[in-house]
Amino acid sequence: MREDVTILAIESSCDETAAAVVRNGREILSNVIFSQIDLHTVYGGVVPEIASRKHIEKINQVIEEALRKAGMQLRDMDAIAVTYGPGLVGALLVGVSAAKAISFATGIPLVGVHHIEGHISANFIENPDLEPPFVCLVVSGGHSHLVIVRDYGEYEVIGRTRDDAAGEAFDKVARAIGLGYPGGPKIDKLSKEGNPDAIHFPRAKLEDNAYDFSFSGLKSAVLNYLNGCQMKGEPVVEADVAASFQKAVIDVLVEHSMHAVKEFGYDKFAIAGGVASNSSLARAFEERCRKENIKFYRPSPVYCTDNAAMIGTAAYYEYQKGVRSGMDLNAVPYLKLGER
Ligand code: KG4
Ligand code: ZN
């Protein structure tokens, strides 16, 4: 019997076609990502139909490359892991179908993984000392969740966005100031040249749940500011708008997260998802956690945005608990965290 558990993981929930080989949960033997960003940039956002078609074109190639880079073959795998939700249904179906086909043909067990569980698990890759329980802020293009990670695979969502996700707000504001898609990295870069205190944008507080978020008011405030400048014939300093908007988002994320960590009595905090790769956001959390004596964790940028390594890591802990998916595994676009 082999002692190591080696997993081939597949991710295709949005606009990245990705495959990885992961050993014992935290050792990444390969991590191949084909990003479709260039294809969608001209449309100002992800076009689901184009995403699905490109996934079909690329998926086999990406899987073969992941195995080759790991120096392994399918017969060396103990499980085939795949993201089955949430995400774009057509995009998810490509990964799910590929994983099911491999599992069916080889008899290797299949493990369906929740995409957000993958994002959270990205923190385990480079932080060997990190173990649950801890609080995790997941901020991506589709989600803004404050989650208590009670144990591996055991989550309690204590806060979520009521409207736009944090990444969505970055993308929409970037479009409004003419930066194009994807907005997050562009606002991150431009902000470095701007004054974050130049314009005061609102920070939404929600009376009934201190851990929930709302970013649509902030987005509207930015749009109103831009319209106001245009009507008054005043020049817009894009870098100041970007930096001030970014600061407003970061302030809210930091305040709500720190409040949760303290209220629930934890001493470890992690961030995850595409927005977690934002350099100012990471710095703000680092400083605040140091002050509050909370141990802070974050994945490297490549493990923040969509990738399959994080899916392999999440799958390992599910696999160890005995979780196996059947050939009836389907794509679930609105899959909730903690559901199977
Ligand atoms: O996790 P992810 O790759 O995909 C989803 O699961 O949604 O996140 C993508 C989101 C996009 O909205 C993108 O603009 C944002 O993450 N993002 C960033 C940065 N890099 C990516 N937002 C802020 N700063 C960044 N550096
Ligand atoms: Zn994601």
Side-chain angles (χ1 to χ4, degrees), residues 178-210:
L179 297 178
Y181 179 85
K186 293 185 174 162
I187 290 196
D188 191 354
K189 190 161 169 239
L190 184 62
S191 291
K192 296 189 192 340
E193 297 157 29
N195 173 7
D197 301 313
I199 310 150
H200 183 79
F201 291 128
R203 276 89 168 138
K205 264 207 166 72
L206 299 157
E207 297 299 327
D208 51 336
N209 183 353

Side-chain angles (χ1 to χ4, degrees), residues 7-132:
I7 295 181
L8 169 68
I10 300 170
E11 154 66 44
S12 70
S13 67
C14 190
D15 60 347
E16 263 92 28
T17 321
V21 176
V22 180
R23 185 154 59 197
N24 300 331
R26 301 191 186 218
E27 193 187 340
I28 310 305
L29 303 183
S30 66
N31 185 32
V32 179
I33 305 168
F34 171 76
S35 173
Q36 306 179 357
I37 282 179
D38 293 348
L39 278 170
H40 300 283
T41 301
V42 284
Y43 303 100
V46 177
V47 183
E49 184 62 25
I50 295 177
S52 313
R53 283 166 190 242
K54 206 66 199 174
H55 284 312
I56 292 174
E57 263 177 61
K58 287 284 167 186
I59 192 97
N60 287 341
Q61 196 182 316
V62 165
I63 292 171
E64 279 163 19
E65 205 179 323
L67 288 168
R68 188 176 52 73
K69 285 193 168 156
M72 292 189 149
Q73 295 180 339
L74 278 177
R75 65 166 178 269
D76 302 318
M77 300 300 120
D78 295 286
I80 310 295
V82 65
T83 305
Y84 73 107
L88 302 169
V89 68
L92 287 164
L93 274 171
V94 178
V96 169
S97 306
K100 279 162 71 171
I102 294 171
S103 171
F104 185 70
T106 58
I108 300 169
L110 180 68
V111 180
V113 175
H114 192 291
H115 184 72
I116 301 297
E117 179 170 9
H119 274 303
I120 295 169
S121 304
N123 279 289
F124 297 133
I125 297 172
E126 296 154 303
N127 298 304
D129 65 313
L130 178 62
E131 306 247 13

Side-chain angles (χ1 to χ4, degrees), residues 115 119 140-142 167-168 170-171 183-185 188 273-275 277-278 304-306:
H115 184 72
H119 274 303
S140 70
E168 205 177 340
F170 269 93
D171 293 336
D188 191 354
V275 182
S277 64
N278 185 282
C304 284
T305 45
D306 287 350

Side-chain angles (χ1 to χ4, degrees), residues 129-135 261 266-270 294-295 297:
D129 65 313
L130 178 62
E131 306 247 13
F134 59 92
V135 176
V261 177
Y266 290 95
D267 58 0
K268 286 181 274 183
F269 173 73
I294 296 162
K295 207 145 186 245
Y297 299 87

